[in-house]
Amino acid sequence: MSDVVSIRTASDEDVRKFVENRNERHYFLDHLGQDHGIILFAFRGEVLAGYIFVRLAPAEEPELRAGLPGVPLLQHLRVLEEHQRSGVARRLLSEAERQLTLRGYHRVALGVHPSNERAINLYKGLSFTAWREESLPTFHVEVLDDDSTERSDDVCLVFVKHLERLPWIGRP
């Protein structure tokens, strides 16, 4: 397996082909179909190593829409187990930030479950800061065996990062 990680924007077909988790596959296809954002895939050679959804549409949570209006969200960051702790998450986050900067965004937010200390430490190490101290009520959707969906309440901590302006933007 190659150590070189390449990042590309994923299509519906890519999602159907590579995303095995049916909850995430459902989420991605639904949100791509509504033009809510883009999905970035990380590959090592031809092998999927991870992915992230860059949500450009308003947040689903009213508190987030009100408190961070117009701020895109990074969602469903996943690095497949055999590729964890190898820099794939950092590469995906970096490319997501680059894509947002190219689109003129100055901030980005993401949510993480309060118990996910490893992810929280990663985000803090990449200059994300807590939007607020208390958890935000949110939800997740599970796809059942009969392909129906069930929504469950959840919570997350929200982190925000100010994006650096790319040096060549705005220059002749």
Side-chain angles (χ1 to χ4, degrees):
M1 179 180 352
S2 171
D3 283 338
V4 176
V5 175
S6 62
I7 309 284
R8 76 170 197 240
T9 302
S11 66
D12 289 11
E13 183 180 323
D14 291 329
V15 171
R16 287 185 188 91
K17 180 177 178 181
F18 291 106
V19 178
E20 293 179 9
N21 180 296
R22 68 179 171 185
N23 297 325
E24 290 173 343
R25 186 173 52 244
H26 175 271
Y27 179 89
F28 292 156
L29 291 173
D30 181 48
H31 284 69
L32 282 176
Q34 296 180 53
D35 202 25
H36 284 176
I38 61 170
I39 299 169
L40 299 175
F41 276 5
F43 286 91
R44 280 216 163 110
E46 297 300 314
V47 177
L48 180 67
Y51 43 82
I52 191 169
F53 182 69
V54 182
R55 183 182 182 90
L56 302 172
E60 294 173 300
E61 298 82 0
E63 274 185 81
L64 213 45
R65 280 195 311 270
L68 293 171
V71 176
L73 301 170
L74 302 179
Q75 299 176 314
H76 293 269
L77 171 61
R78 177 168 313 276
V79 176
L80 303 179
E81 190 172 347
E82 60 270 24
H83 303 282
Q84 291 179 0
R85 301 184 95 45
S86 67
V88 171
R90 288 175 185 272
R91 290 284 316 277
L92 282 164
L93 289 163
S94 176
E95 179 60 19
E97 291 173 19
R98 190 182 78 77
Q99 293 279 336
L100 291 169
T101 302
L102 288 171
R103 287 172 168 80
Y105 291 99
H106 302 288
R107 290 192 303 170
V108 65
L110 55 78
V112 60
H113 196 275
S115 68
N116 193 343
E117 292 180 29
R118 202 162 108 188
I120 291 169
N121 289 333
L122 170 67
Y123 301 142
K124 286 180 177 179
L126 294 173
S127 301
F128 282 87
T129 58
W131 174 52
R132 64 182 201 184
E133 293 303 315
E134 63 272 6
S135 295
L136 177 79
T138 188
F139 63 91
H140 68 271
V141 175
E142 185 172 344
V143 178
L144 305 176
D145 290 337
D146 65 359
D147 286 331
S148 64
T149 58
E150 182 176 274
R151 183 175 156 152
S152 301
D153 291 336
D154 207 347
V155 295
C156 69
L157 295 173
V158 177
F159 288 84
V160 177
K161 181 175 182 177
H162 291 273
L163 300 174
E164 296 293 323
R165 187 172 152 255
L166 295 174
W168 63 86
I169 292 180
R171 292 188 182 167

